[in-house]
Amino acid sequence: MKSKRLISMVVSIVLAALFFSGCGGEKQTSSKKSGELQVLKTWSRKDCTAAPIIVADKLGYFKEQGLKIQYTGDTQPAQRLPSVLNGNNDFGDAHPNNLAIATEGGAKVKGVTRSIVEPPDSVTDTHLQHMWWISNKNGSIKTLADINKYPGKVKVGANSRNSCVDFLSDILFVKNNISLDKIEWIQMPDIEQVLSLKKGLIQIAVVHPPFYKSIEESGIGNILTTSRPIAGENGGTYLYYFSDKFIKQHPDEVAKFVVAVKKAERYINKSIPDEKERAKVNKWVSDAIGVPVSANHYYADDGVIKDKDIQQWIDGSKTSGALPKNAKVKVSDIVTHEFDKYGNLGSKPDYVVKE
């Protein structure tokens, strides 16, 4: 019943977004000329997804492809995908389960390339992993096993529901024989979880970069686990997506975007061992989002989407109850391989998409 209510709610949001935008059969004209540059619109980024867009902008990678990014202001998480459907924004980024839930509810969007992934084992800096699960070192939960011993429910912070936090936490708790009935989810932004953990309002914070710095500076952080051991590379999988309508009408612009953003992501990965270069990237992101940054995410060098990884996220949504067990959404409903050649390592550093 809970699953049906959730799907109904998603359908309502999607349909409302379409209705109020009047986005019927009209041609989507969201990509406009700015001089010789074509504009792609996206919401203003104040979180851990900002780095590739900022770096591609700073280093002129979008301009190389004839693109210009236009920020449209703050958009609440629940309204981001509808804003892409109604043309207020042209692209977004999300985990596969977010796209699966929306698609099951009737949304017509497709992931076009991979973004965030977990770093390989050769990258030992845990700041580059997708998430940390952290308890207060002065509290009673020192290890994952202590969760079962805690009196009553354990309050766990989550920046949003039916997202990466659910997907990875479900796997984590099952692996450690922790009943999901033991967990009470408390929704709040990552930055607020730090203070809440300190005050005892939650027992476990689940945070992303760049907010690790705040945890470390608080002096209370006890790392229970990080995300890579939970699901390997797939634990961080993030996709850039466009509406089906935009892809059909503006395939060249999507291709240009993929080339530019993947070039920026490879640049960020290469900056990791270089202290000065890494500090430069961190400062650019910090200045843009207004939060101290000690690390960004790690990104897929090869942007080609792996269907088996996407299926794991769909299955995880069914496990969590975010999708009904009989949901019909398939991998091919939420991703396209049309742009694979633009996101892989075969693209030359100076490659420019020709219309």
Side-chain angles (χ1 to χ4, degrees), residues 110-113 247 305 331-340:
K110 292 287 189 300
V112 298
T113 192
I247 293 170
I305 298 167
V331 172
S332 59
D333 295 327
I334 64 174
V335 304
T336 175
H337 292 287
E338 181 180 349
F339 304 96
D340 281 358

Side-chain angles (χ1 to χ4, degrees), residues 30-103:
S30 46
S31 181
K32 301 174 184 175
K33 297 285 183 179
S34 175
E36 295 183 355
L37 300 179
Q38 295 166 301
V39 173
L40 285 182
K41 297 182 295 186
T42 190
W43 53 83
S44 301
R45 287 154 197 278
K46 299 293 181 183
D47 56 30
C48 59
T49 66
I53 309 301
I54 293 167
V55 169
D57 230 349
K58 285 279 189 183
L59 296 179
Y61 296 161
F62 286 127
K63 189 175 182 180
E64 284 176 358
Q65 301 301 323
L67 300 176
K68 178 180 180 180
I69 299 299
Q70 177 183 319
Y71 295 103
T72 58
D74 292 339
T75 303
Q76 292 301 309
Q79 294 303 316
R80 289 173 182 172
L81 192 143
S83 78
V84 171
L85 288 171
N86 65 28
N88 288 336
N89 288 302
D90 295 327
F91 71 90
D93 41 3
H95 289 294
N97 56 348
N98 300 131
L99 299 185
I101 294 164
T103 300

Side-chain angles (χ1 to χ4, degrees), residues 140-164:
S140 59
I141 298 178
K142 301 291 197 300
T143 67
L144 290 168
D146 293 332
I147 294 176
N148 283 329
K149 302 172 189 174
Y150 189 83
K153 287 183 176 285
V154 174
K155 293 181 172 63
V156 181
N159 64 355
S160 61
R161 299 292 287 121
N162 305 312
S163 66
C164 52

